[in-house]
Amino acid sequence: MARRVTIADIAAAAGVSKGAVSYALNGRPGVSEATRTKILAIAAEMGFVPNRAARSLSVSSAQTVGIALRRPARTIGIEPYFMELISGIEATLSGGSFGLTLQIVGTVQEELEVYRRWWAERRVDGVFLCDLGTSDLRLDFVADLGLPAVAVGGPVEGARFPAVWHDDVEPSRDILEYLYTLGHRRVARIAGIPGLLHTAIRDEACAETAAGLDFESATMVHSDYTGEQGAQITRRLLSSANRPTAIVYDNDVMAVAGLGVAHELGLEIPEQLSLVAWDDSPLCRLTHPALTSLTRDIPAYGAKCAEVLLTLIGAAEASAPPGPEARAFSVQCKPAQLSPRGSTGPALV
Amino acid sequence: MARRVTIADIAAAAGVSKGAVSYALNGRPGVSEATRTKILAIAAEMGFVPNRAARSLSVSSAQTVGIALRRPARTIGIEPYFMELISGIEATLSGGSFGLTLQIVGTVQEELEVYRRWWAERRVDGVFLCDLGTSDLRLDFVADLGLPAVAVGGPVEGARFPAVWHDDVEPSRDILEYLYTLGHRRVARIAGIPGLLHTAIRDEACAETAAGLDFESATMVHSDYTGEQGAQITRRLLSSANRPTAIVYDNDVMAVAGLGVAHELGLEIPEQLSLVAWDDSPLCRLTHPALTSLTRDIPAYGAKCAEVLLTLIGAAEASAPPGPEARAFSVQCKPAQLSPRGSTGPALV
DNA sequence: CTGAAAGCGCTTACAG
DNA sequence: CTGAAAGCGCTTACAG
């Protein structure tokens, strides 16, 4: 059982005060170069690592950020999105020696409670807000608390903190025009959860684009993102009188499920049906044919979110509580790019 | 911007000392029932939540456990396993008001560094060790540190801390006998990473079982669990002279990829090829046909792991450093159950 | 440039 | 049963 070394040990070994050790360790003035070098050497030799709790208590900073995920236990694993996001966040955090605290919650109320507790305990210095809703309780709640946050998604109207987001309008246009060019005139989109911000944005953009192209039909059905619903809605769409020749899915999981249904019905892909997945992940390349997708770099996205949060925390520490200038930190990322693969082809019907 | 309340605020409001407040809050003797009730009421009214750092510093416990995941950023999302495990862990933790710190690392060395830092910083009270290797550096490292840990997997020989694991021998037998009974005589298994403990256990158990049944061939190929390798190895196996009529995959991702290859080659499933996925997840029900799997309840598994770690931490606090009695905490979970679905059928070749 | 001291917000022996 | 005090391990004004 190893022993933890404290600044008192170093001070004793170096023959200086604890204060001097602290100054030396933190690169602040107050010690001569000679003593600094000596102290640093001793600290390194003794394998000193500061006690987090003591440091946090002194500087009122947890050196930790938090993320709360609201998903049922059994379905959270299937979405590659979150783990990719988290791994991107981590990439930025490790550099700044920040930790990440993760909590899975069931309801918004629970989520709000978690934020309040984290804030009250000073357990985190800031949080990531995922799955933004069209009117999202959490925004004001967290801002009122004075807890720094970044919205993972957007754009957010009158935000009191920064958002990191992708434009979904352009991809909406891209995908519909792509299908139109391939000759598809009956298209459907199995959209995500209606209350979500990006669902609403896609809904509107798709409707607008569709209106500008003379589709025979452009259907839209909301879902809960699960494979079950993806399959069920696909089955319904494909058994309708004038079935679509192309279906766009708001996530990869539903697209894979949709492909399964197409196989089950004996449809040739893409000859009889084209499929597109919004959000790319390795999952899309697992199937045959591989799924045409709208690709974003999620780990890079997570890294950017973390960058913005760290900046905000630094700023919030330096100056006043996060004010309107927080918006200035917002960053819009490159929109998703269409990656055509085997699941889409000319409409032959 | 809300304000944080401290025990000093409560003490002032109640007209008692901070010590009395602490005793009352922690349900310890030292205050009369009357004052206790009064203090509790005031604390509740003021919305008191103790500052973690201060508490941690006093009691030398972080009220946090840690998990380090060693996976590349871009592939970590695809394995539903980790998120399911984490969500199970969380379910237990939230009850005990413990937090979970997550870190993604690239190499074992990095992982060891993380444990050392967490321990030195007193950032966590214990850790989960995932992806156990056949000879695993981390076991002694963490034990030498005196950092409580539970091995997520096993069994571990001469462990200095508890393991929570599933028997893989029985499922190995189950699956091969099942395929044999269906008439399959040429089977293959695309195994996981060779250095992993459970890969080794499955390898041995499968070899032994196969030896007892008169298979014409029972091939085994190691992989890295990715869809790419799953696909590539499947393609190679299926284009060999005496191709297998059934393939078992060590995870669900490779099985899905294998199914993609089978579709690509125009094979009828299960008429011309049976496929089995070791480790079930919603992914297995997304495809057509759905994949026959070896099912375990991963969230429940995670919950059990957390339970054991919390017990260990409690014990470690109460008594000496985790000694040999730690083994007593080890728990063996119910082995994976075979869930036959559409991807397996009688061998017709 | 250096040392001694106070303080962060808790917990916990120790006297009354 | 209660209060005053010391201590956890840091940081940071404040005197010398």
Side-chain angles (χ1 to χ4, degrees):
Chain A
M1 175 108 123
R3 204 182 145 260
R4 291 180 185 85
V5 1
T6 70
I7 55 168
D9 298 324
I10 300 176
V16 297
S17 70
K18 294 192 304 175
V21 174
S22 178
Y23 287 138
L25 254 22
N26 294 311
R28 328 193 73 210
V31 282
S32 66
E33 262 326 300
T35 21
R36 184 188 304 277
T37 313
K38 182 175 163 202
I39 289 171
L40 254 29
I42 293 179
E45 189 199 318
M46 297 179 94
F48 173 75
V49 181
N51 177 314
R52 275 285 156 174
R55 176 160 228 285
S56 291
L57 189 56
S58 287
V59 303
S60 287
S61 142
Q63 297 271 92
T64 299
V65 293
I67 189 169
L69 268 26
R70 198 169 63 237
R71 280 286 193 291
R74 250 152 256 279
T75 63
I76 193 163
I78 187 94
E79 287 265 30
Y81 175 82
F82 288 111
M83 263 298 182
E84 292 187 8
L85 185 76
I86 287 173
S87 98
I89 288 174
E90 290 271 355
T92 296
L93 255 36
S94 312
S97 80
F98 264 67
L100 179 69
T101 285
L102 174 75
Q103 175 114 24
I104 293 176
V105 295
T107 65
V108 202
Q109 281 311 321
E110 262 179 69
E111 190 176 338
L112 296 182
E113 274 319 300
V114 167
Y115 295 139
R116 175 184 293 288
R117 185 164 49 75
W118 278 351
W119 168 82
E121 290 179 333
R122 281 191 180 278
R123 198 183 246 283
V124 304
D125 300 320
V127 296
F128 298 98
L129 260 29
C130 300
D131 290 328
L132 291 189
T134 43
S135 80
D136 200 312
L137 280 179
R138 301 173 299 169
L139 264 34
D140 276 333
F141 184 86
V142 165
D144 288 346
L145 234 33
L147 181 63
V150 353
V152 182
V156 184
E157 296 298 320
R160 295 160 70 189
F161 43 75
V164 182
W165 57 290
H166 300 264
D167 169 51
D168 265 355
V169 175
E170 191 177 315
S172 299
R173 206 174 299 143
D174 288 351
I175 188 61
L176 288 183
E177 283 172 355
Y178 168 73
L179 292 174
Y180 187 86
T181 305
L182 282 172
H184 294 279
R185 290 300 176 268
R186 293 192 307 279
V187 300
R189 173 166 154 264
I190 302 190
I193 298 172
L196 293 182
L197 181 58
H198 69 276
T199 303
I201 292 172
R202 292 177 187 182
D203 287 358
E204 192 188 324
C206 285
E208 200 163 303
T209 306
L213 303 166
D214 60 322
F215 284 116
E216 196 175 304
S217 67
T219 321
M220 196 266 292
V221 189
H222 285 124
S223 73
D224 66 356
Y225 282 126
T226 63
E228 288 76 55
Q229 287 213 1
Q232 183 187 318
I233 298 171
T234 302
R235 203 169 284 124
R236 198 167 71 222
L237 287 172
L238 293 181
S239 58
S240 63
N242 261 311
R243 65 171 189 77
T245 61
I247 305 182
V248 178
Y249 296 86
D250 258 24
N251 74 353
D252 41 12
V253 172
M254 291 195 294
V256 173
L259 179 62
V261 170
H263 279 147
E264 177 191 329
L265 299 178
L267 294 176
E268 296 290 321
I269 311 289
E271 289 76 7
Q272 298 176 275
L273 179 68
S274 284
L275 300 172
V276 180
W278 208 314
D279 256 7
D280 199 4
S281 82
L283 205 51
C284 297
R285 266 151 290 169
L286 245 46
T287 57
H288 181 80
L291 291 164
T292 293
S293 318
L294 283 163
T295 309
R296 296 185 295 169
D297 186 340
I298 306 295
Y301 181 49
K304 176 56 81 178
C305 291
E307 220 172 274
V308 171
L309 185 55
L310 290 188
T311 307
L312 184 65
I313 290 170
E317 272 169 5
S319 68
E325 82 285 355
R327 299 209 57 172
F329 291 126
S330 284
V331 358
Q332 179 178 354
C333 303
K334 199 179 63 154
Q337 300 291 310
L338 187 65
S339 306
R341 289 194 274 256
S343 69
T344 46
L348 301 180
V349 202
Chain B
M1 177 107 125
R3 206 183 143 258
R4 289 180 186 85
V5 2
T6 69
I7 54 167
D9 299 323
I10 300 176
V16 297
S17 70
K18 295 193 301 175
V21 174
S22 178
Y23 287 138
L25 255 22
N26 294 311
R28 326 193 72 209
V31 282
S32 66
E33 262 325 300
T35 20
R36 183 188 305 275
T37 313
K38 182 175 165 199
I39 289 171
L40 255 28
I42 293 178
E45 189 199 316
M46 296 179 94
F48 173 75
V49 181
N51 178 314
R52 275 283 157 176
R55 175 158 230 285
S56 291
L57 189 55
S58 288
V59 302
S60 287
S61 141
Q63 297 272 92
T64 300
V65 293
I67 188 169
L69 266 27
R70 196 167 67 237
R71 280 287 193 292
R74 250 153 257 280
T75 63
I76 193 165
I78 188 90
E79 287 265 28
Y81 174 83
F82 288 112
M83 262 299 180
E84 292 187 7
L85 185 75
I86 287 172
S87 96
I89 288 173
E90 290 270 356
T92 297
L93 255 35
S94 311
S97 81
F98 263 69
L100 179 69
T101 284
L102 174 75
Q103 175 116 23
I104 294 175
V105 295
T107 64
V108 202
Q109 281 310 321
E110 264 178 65
E111 191 176 338
L112 296 182
E113 273 320 300
V114 166
Y115 294 138
R116 176 184 292 288
R117 185 163 49 75
W118 279 350
W119 168 83
E121 290 179 333
R122 283 191 179 276
R123 198 184 247 284
V124 303
D125 299 320
V127 295
F128 298 99
L129 261 29
C130 299
D131 289 328
L132 290 190
T134 43
S135 80
D136 200 312
L137 282 178
R138 301 172 301 169
L139 265 33
D140 275 334
F141 184 87
V142 165
D144 287 346
L145 235 32
L147 181 62
V150 355
V152 182
V156 185
E157 295 298 319
R160 295 161 69 190
F161 42 75
V164 181
W165 57 290
H166 298 264
D167 169 52
D168 265 353
V169 175
E170 191 177 315
S172 300
R173 205 173 303 142
D174 288 349
I175 188 60
L176 288 183
E177 283 172 356
Y178 168 71
L179 292 173
Y180 186 87
T181 306
L182 283 172
H184 295 277
R185 291 299 176 268
R186 293 191 308 278
V187 300
R189 171 167 156 262
I190 304 191
I193 300 172
L196 293 183
L197 182 57
H198 68 275
T199 303
I201 292 173
R202 293 177 187 181
D203 287 358
E204 192 188 324
C206 285
E208 199 162 305
T209 305
L213 303 167
D214 60 323
F215 284 116
E216 198 174 303
S217 69
T219 322
M220 197 267 293
V221 189
H222 284 124
S223 74
D224 66 357
Y225 282 125
T226 64
E228 288 75 56
Q229 287 212 1
Q232 184 188 316
I233 298 171
T234 302
R235 204 170 282 121
R236 196 167 75 223
L237 286 172
L238 292 181
S239 58
S240 63
N242 261 314
R243 66 171 188 75
T245 61
I247 307 183
V248 178
Y249 295 86
D250 259 22
N251 73 354
D252 41 10
V253 172
M254 292 196 294
V256 173
L259 180 62
V261 170
H263 279 147
E264 178 191 330
L265 299 178
L267 294 177
E268 296 291 322
I269 311 290
E271 290 76 8
Q272 297 177 276
L273 179 69
S274 284
L275 300 171
V276 180
W278 208 312
D279 255 6
D280 199 4
S281 82
L283 206 51
C284 297
R285 266 152 290 169
L286 247 43
T287 57
H288 181 81
L291 291 164
T292 293
S293 320
L294 284 162
T295 308
R296 295 184 296 167
D297 185 341
I298 305 295
Y301 181 49
K304 178 54 81 179
C305 291
E307 219 172 275
V308 171
L309 185 54
L310 290 188
T311 307
L312 184 63
I313 290 171
E317 273 168 4
S319 68
E325 83 285 357
R327 298 210 57 173
F329 290 127
S330 286
V331 358
Q332 178 176 355
C333 303
K334 197 179 63 154
Q337 299 291 311
L338 187 64
S339 306
R341 289 194 273 257
S343 71
T344 45
L348 301 180
V349 202

